[in-house]
Amino acid sequence: MKHSFYTLSAALLLTSSVALAQSTAQSSVRLTEFGLKGGPTFVSGYTNIPAVPTGITGVTFPAIENKGNGTGTGYTAGTFVRFNNYRRKGFVQIELTYNRYVLKQRANVTLDVNAEPSLAAQLPISFAPGLLNATVDVTSESSIESFNVPVLFGRRLLNEKLRIYLGPTLIFVNKSQADRVTQGQINPNAAIGFSAAIPIPATPETTNLLDNREAANLEVKRFTWALEAGIGVSPLRWLDLDVRYAVPAGGVYKDTNIKGFLGIASVTAGIKIP
């Protein structure tokens, strides 16, 4: 009888301890959490632009293979709300952020001087298509500023300290431009008496990528979406640290013939509002 009493007491003590532990774990996470977040963004990628007719018979602006030229740094900042589910350890997080993404690229192109009016203007006389070409090196920084609405579905692990999540991000583009620097030379052709190359000095140019007239086939969409995944830790009840990676699955250019890849990484710190 005495042995049974001790066994029952031990069982009740164990049950109470488990319940207390669960209650403590649950109390560390509220059903709804609000907060502010921000941090840097890091963008890399490349863009392949198809050849474009110029309107001059026999002359096209050649295809351009823009290769990555380092990592572009921008920022993200905004607010979030997280709806937690205690029983299943899941959560849904919705955010509103303002973001700046910068893509650095470089390309080397050989083209007929008649394909680019600014090149033809540097010649003392005009030449028929196919007689003179130029080799140019173009470095560019293309930027997008946008309001984003991520809708993320995740799970909490390791006693609420770790979060993993995945979901779509709606991207509403507010501003987009390309800053380019072009330099190179107009190549000689001894067969027509043009024996000396003409250097092309470094020439800066800025293009509004939301303006159809300026951007032409490089016009950026006003709305697109990305697929985003991330992992976060909460070392303190009020602090979230996150690392994410997103890929614009909907593409950023209106011209669907433009191919490429854009990868967006971000590192953020979030502060929960009591």
Side-chain angles (χ1 to χ4, degrees), residues 175-197:
K175 180 180 179 181
S176 182
Q177 69 180 40
D179 297 311
R180 303 185 188 89
V181 176
T182 304
Q183 58 188 339
Q185 69 174 28
I186 298 176
N187 301 316
N189 184 351
I192 60 172
F194 193 81
S195 57

Side-chain angles (χ1 to χ4, degrees), residues 29-33 81-93 152-157 160 162-166:
V29 176
R30 291 177 295 177
L31 281 173
T32 304
E33 298 174 297
V81 57
R82 184 181 302 144
F83 303 98
N84 294 305
N85 182 310
Y86 286 148
R87 293 186 61 186
R88 299 183 181 275
K89 301 288 186 179
F91 65 86
V92 177
Q93 183 164 316
L152 306 168
F153 302 88
R155 183 172 178 82
R156 306 187 309 279
L157 304 168
E160 322 293 346
L162 179 69
R163 291 168 286 105
I164 56 174
Y165 46 85
L166 173 74

Side-chain angles (χ1 to χ4, degrees), residues 53-272:
T54 62
I56 301 174
T57 302
V59 179
T60 61
F61 199 96
I64 300 175
E65 291 187 7
N66 280 308
K67 299 180 180 179
N69 190 33
T71 301
T73 304
Y75 59 82
T76 179
T79 63
F80 68 88
V81 57
R82 184 181 302 144
F83 303 98
N84 294 305
N85 182 310
Y86 286 148
R87 293 186 61 186
R88 299 183 181 275
K89 301 288 186 179
F91 65 86
V92 177
Q93 183 164 316
I94 302 173
E95 303 175 0
L96 175 61
T97 60
Y98 193 80
N99 311 268
R100 176 175 168 83
Y101 306 127
V102 178
L103 175 63
K104 295 184 176 183
Q105 298 181 104
R106 186 169 196 147
N108 186 269
V109 184
T110 298
L111 70 161
D112 191 307
V113 293
N114 292 286
E116 177 51 62
S118 64
L119 296 178
Q122 298 185 44
L123 300 173
I125 61 174
S126 60
F127 290 87
L131 294 181
L132 279 183
N133 61 43
T135 301
V136 297
D137 184 76
V138 183
T139 57
S140 66
E141 287 191 9
S142 301
S143 62
I144 289 178
E145 294 185 22
S146 64
F147 291 96
N148 289 11
V149 182
V151 181
L152 306 168
F153 302 88
R155 183 172 178 82
R156 306 187 309 279
L157 304 168
L158 300 180
N159 292 325
E160 322 293 346
K161 297 295 185 183
L162 179 69
R163 291 168 286 105
I164 56 174
Y165 46 85
L166 173 74
T169 295
L170 307 180
I171 301 174
F172 301 88
V173 178
N174 180 57
K175 180 180 179 181
S176 182
Q177 69 180 40
D179 297 311
R180 303 185 188 89
V181 176
T182 304
Q183 58 188 339
Q185 69 174 28
I186 298 176
N187 301 316
N189 184 351
I192 60 172
F194 193 81
S195 57
I198 296 179
I200 302 171
T203 305
E205 177 189 16
T206 298
T207 302
N208 180 356
L209 297 180
L210 293 178
D211 186 303
N212 178 263
R213 292 182 179 180
E214 285 191 42
N217 64 322
L218 294 180
E219 184 180 3
V220 167
K221 295 178 182 178
R222 291 279 184 174
F223 169 77
T224 188
W225 68 281
L227 187 62
E228 188 165 338
I231 184 169
V233 294
S234 302
L236 302 171
R237 288 188 60 182
W238 53 269
L239 177 65
D240 287 349
L241 302 176
D242 290 77
V243 177
R244 296 185 186 179
Y245 194 76
V247 176
V252 298
Y253 295 102
K254 286 189 174 182
D255 187 346
T256 56
N257 292 316
I258 297 177
K259 306 299 181 183
F261 174 79
L262 189 65
I264 304 169
S266 63
V267 180
T268 60
I271 298 175
K272 298 173 190 175

